[in-house]
Amino acid sequence: MTILTVGRHSDCEIILDHPTISRRHAEVQAVAGGKFTIQDTDSAGGTFVRDGDIWRRVRKQTVSLRDVLRFGEYEIGVAELLEKIDPSVTLQFGASEAAPVRRAAGANSEPKKPEVGGRFERDPATGLIMKKH
């Protein structure tokens, strides 16, 4: 299965331009049943998953499209993150699965929107998102 790298570096598949995000911050991989694994790659700012009103720092965690992540101080929903590389993600797993991102109270500015690096395609046999070669 393809592993997608999240970070500020131009070699990452999902580029998030924010000062609290490491060059290679985390990795995302699809697993069975519409779930995804998020793994922190020893980032300085940490990777977190929201659990109600609490942020839980994670090393490796299985998440769904409903979950909201935080890389350093940058918050983004799993569905929104994956749509950056393939807009059909919420269509495949169901738009109702995605949760809106609630920004932290007191946040005084919206972070820059992520940019995407590379080109991707969906493998017709497995339905997985693959990097084009």
Side-chain angles (χ1 to χ4, degrees), residues 85-102:
I85 58 164
D86 185 348
S88 70
V89 165
T90 53
L91 295 175
Q92 179 186 0
F93 296 108
S96 63
E97 292 289 316
V101 176
R102 282 186 325 192

Side-chain angles (χ1 to χ4, degrees), residues 14-117:
I14 302 172
I15 300 171
L16 301 178
D17 184 20
H18 191 269
T20 63
I21 295 176
S22 297
R23 287 183 298 271
R24 289 185 178 84
H25 198 102
E27 296 175 342
V28 179
Q29 183 175 23
V31 293
K35 301 284 186 178
F36 304 87
T37 298
I38 184 79
Q39 182 168 351
D40 187 82
T41 54
D42 297 322
S43 66
T47 299
F48 302 81
V49 176
R50 190 169 63 204
D51 183 7
D53 290 331
I54 298 170
W55 287 104
R56 301 205 186 278
R57 189 170 187 157
V58 297
R59 175 80 177 118
K60 186 174 184 179
Q61 178 77 36
T62 300
V63 295
S64 72
L65 292 176
R66 291 182 178 268
D67 289 314
V68 179
L69 306 173
R70 194 177 88 205
F71 301 107
E73 294 299 317
Y74 187 96
E75 297 175 22
I76 188 167
V78 172
E80 183 182 356
L81 181 73
L82 296 174
E83 283 178 345
K84 301 299 177 191
I85 58 164
D86 185 348
S88 70
V89 165
T90 53
L91 295 175
Q92 179 186 0
F93 296 108
S96 63
E97 292 289 316
V101 176
R102 282 186 325 192
R103 302 289 176 203
N108 52 5
S109 66
E110 193 74 21
K112 291 181 182 178
K113 290 293 181 186
E115 297 176 17
V116 178

Side-chain angles (χ1 to χ4, degrees), residues 112-123:
K112 291 181 182 178
K113 290 293 181 186
E115 297 176 17
V116 178
R119 295 183 170 261
F120 299 86
E121 63 187 1
R122 185 170 305 278
D123 181 333

